[in-house]
Amino acid sequence: MERKPHLARRQFPPREVSSVPLGLLLAAVLLLNALLYLYLNRVYSSSGRAETDPGLCPLGYFKLGAVKNCSPWLSCEAMNREVRKLKCVGEGAVKKVFLSEWKENKVVLSQLTSLELKEDFLHGLKMLKALQSKHVVRLLGYCEQQFTILTEYHPLGSLRGLNETLHIPKYKDMNTWHRRLMLAIDYVSVIRYLHNSPLGTLVMCDSNDLDKVLSQYLLTSDFHILVNDLDALPLVNRSAGRLVKCGHRELQGEFVAPEQRWPYGEEVPFQDDLMPPYDEKTDIWKIPDVSNFFLGHVEGSDIVRLHLFDIHAACKKKDPAERPSAQDILDTYRKVLTLLIREAAMPGTREML
């Protein structure tokens, strides 16, 4: 029987893994990181991150709309002559607010409601003048004798209407976790600025509930946040032993910080002179609740909340000294934004590498 010769098995040289696709992938990752860095740098510099704005006029001046030159704050005489009231658009405890017109520009004229509250009104004016920056609504003029203040008009109004605004077809593309987180970053940036202001450490006292907090801030047409109401902004001065109390009435509810609540129980009637003072860490306690409002219930917002869980838990420490600073919170928010944008831009990249 003839033996069949074995067929020789062909020997193939080992395949070399091409480094070209991997190189292209790494280049793409590096390019994307560079673009992400430039984008975030633009975000932080354009949304009020800097304490001062090079585009702002010198103190005592303003510019409005497309006008390039700065004008001095309007005086009593100029306001009486050039500003025309259109309609009342709101009224609070201290001020009545009128939509008005100045040289074909819509502006806001605020007037004192009662002489009994003139000290609050004048304090707010003092703060408004001293704190002009990218974080604060633009002052256009004032008249102390007539208790009136003129400021820039922002048609989207206060933050109380944020969710309604985001449901308008024109703005529906803004209703994302990314844009909402940027609003929270704006808000914390304002708090950081107030805690490190040119005047010292200031506490945002008009903040006893969420609705009150939101009413103190304006939403600009390019979706950033400005603080608008500075009537209740006392100064903390630790070196001089000066702390603050937000008003002279008892504060209640979980929204206000524990140190703002009456510490002696229901059996002891509230007395303002027995209420211990506190510091700016009351603002820190409230940040998680305000940020939770900003994040809303859009796709991805729960992932953001998960990433912010630890810093928000730290904000809710009962001991104010254990709470983070506004700067610490701002740094964390920015890191989370960077991380989530990178993950959204490069899904699966880690596995591919």
Side-chain angles (χ1 to χ4, degrees), residues 196-224:
N196 301 273
S197 84
L199 301 177
T201 302
L202 300 167
V203 181
M204 194 67 176
C205 267
D206 260 344
S207 57
N208 298 335
D209 57 63
L210 178 61
D211 190 67
K212 187 64 174 175
V213 170
L214 299 176
S215 71
Q216 309 301 302
Y217 297 85
L218 295 172
L219 181 64
T220 67
S221 296
D222 58 349
F223 270 71
H224 294 299

Side-chain angles (χ1 to χ4, degrees), residues 199-346:
L199 301 177
T201 302
L202 300 167
V203 181
M204 194 67 176
C205 267
D206 260 344
S207 57
N208 298 335
D209 57 63
L210 178 61
D211 190 67
K212 187 64 174 175
V213 170
L214 299 176
S215 71
Q216 309 301 302
Y217 297 85
L218 295 172
L219 181 64
T220 67
S221 296
D222 58 349
F223 270 71
H224 294 299
I225 291 175
L226 298 173
V227 62
N228 181 52
D229 195 332
L230 303 174
D231 295 342
L233 210 61
L235 179 69
V236 169
N237 189 336
R238 285 192 182 81
S239 60
R242 184 195 303 163
L243 299 178
V244 304
K245 288 191 287 186
C246 291
H248 304 287
R249 293 180 294 179
E250 182 177 2
L251 301 179
Q252 297 176 327
E254 292 299 314
F255 188 82
V256 297
E259 63 270 22
Q260 291 184 281
R261 303 172 209 154
W262 180 243
Y264 303 117
E266 295 181 359
E267 62 277 5
V268 180
F270 177 80
Q271 296 182 55
D272 182 45
D273 57 345
L274 295 181
M275 180 68 198
Y278 34 82
D279 62 17
E280 77 280 2
K281 289 301 183 71
T282 58
D283 290 333
I284 301 300
W285 171 273
K286 300 161 188 173
I287 284 177
D289 300 287
V290 180
S291 289
N292 187 56
F293 167 80
F294 285 132
L295 292 175
H297 300 285
V298 297
E299 183 180 356
S301 62
D302 287 341
I303 298 297
V304 179
R305 287 185 178 90
L306 183 63
H307 282 275
L308 297 178
F309 180 84
D310 289 342
I311 192 69
H312 283 173
C315 292
K316 292 294 186 178
K317 295 280 190 180
K318 188 172 183 179
D319 183 356
E322 295 182 3
R323 295 173 203 155
S325 68
Q327 183 66 62
D328 294 333
I329 301 169
L330 183 59
D331 291 342
T332 300
Y333 277 29
R334 288 175 172 174
K335 288 176 183 176
V336 168
L337 176 63
T338 303
L339 172 67
L340 293 179
I341 289 179
R342 181 180 289 121
E343 289 184 352
M346 299 183 293

Side-chain angles (χ1 to χ4, degrees), residues 9 28 36 42 47 66 74 123 186 195 219 298 312 338 352:
R9 181 177 296 173
L36 181 62
R42 181 184 176 191
S47 58
L74 300 184
H123 177 74
D186 264 12
H195 289 183
L219 181 64
V298 297
H312 283 173
T338 303
M352 292 172 66

Side-chain angles (χ1 to χ4, degrees), residues 29-49:
V29 170
L30 292 173
L31 177 61
L32 196 53
N33 277 330
L35 292 174
L36 181 62
Y37 171 81
L38 292 173
Y39 168 74
L40 291 172
N41 186 60
R42 181 184 176 191
V43 165
Y44 295 148
S45 63
S46 67
S47 58
R49 296 338 75 184

Side-chain angles (χ1 to χ4, degrees), residues 47-78:
S47 58
R49 296 338 75 184
E51 305 305 353
T52 58
D53 178 3
L56 285 176
C57 296
L59 188 63
Y61 291 80
F62 73 93
K63 56 183 175 182
L64 200 59
V67 177
K68 294 183 178 180
N69 296 327
C70 294
S71 302
W73 286 338
L74 300 184
S75 63
C76 297
E77 181 183 356

Side-chain angles (χ1 to χ4, degrees), residues 41-189:
N41 186 60
R42 181 184 176 191
V43 165
Y44 295 148
S45 63
S46 67
S47 58
R49 296 338 75 184
E51 305 305 353
T52 58
D53 178 3
L56 285 176
C57 296
L59 188 63
Y61 291 80
F62 73 93
K63 56 183 175 182
L64 200 59
V67 177
K68 294 183 178 180
N69 296 327
C70 294
S71 302
W73 286 338
L74 300 184
S75 63
C76 297
E77 181 183 356
M79 288 172 62
N80 290 333
R81 184 179 64 251
E82 301 172 8
V83 177
R84 181 170 64 95
K85 288 183 186 177
L86 299 177
K87 63 178 179 178
C88 181
V89 292
E91 182 173 357
V94 179
K95 298 187 292 288
K96 184 178 288 188
V97 180
F98 296 89
L99 176 62
S100 304
E101 190 176 57
W102 175 74
K103 294 187 177 180
E104 300 182 351
N105 293 291
K106 288 183 178 178
V107 293
V108 174
L109 184 71
S110 302
Q111 290 186 320
L112 179 66
T113 56
S114 170
L115 286 176
E116 295 177 357
L117 299 170
K118 68 177 183 180
E119 294 304 320
D120 291 334
F121 182 91
L122 293 174
H123 177 74
L125 174 58
K126 176 185 175 183
M127 295 293 104
L128 193 55
K129 290 193 295 184
L131 298 176
Q132 285 295 289
S133 69
K134 292 182 71 171
H135 303 283
V136 179
V137 68
R138 189 171 301 170
L139 178 64
L140 309 179
Y142 63 91
C143 180
E144 290 191 27
Q145 296 92 321
Q146 298 173 10
F147 298 103
T148 56
I149 299 173
L150 195 70
T151 53
E152 188 174 14
Y153 171 65
H154 293 279
L156 296 183
S158 80
L159 289 176
R160 284 189 294 191
L162 174 64
N163 287 324
E164 290 76 9
T165 297
L166 288 171
H167 283 96
I168 297 173
K170 178 181 177 181
Y171 299 111
K172 65 179 182 179
D173 291 341
M174 296 287 194
N175 197 17
T176 64
W177 70 263
H178 165 250
R179 179 60 64 172
R180 284 176 170 271
L181 178 55
M182 286 175 63
L183 288 174
I185 288 174
D186 264 12
Y187 169 70
V188 176
S189 295

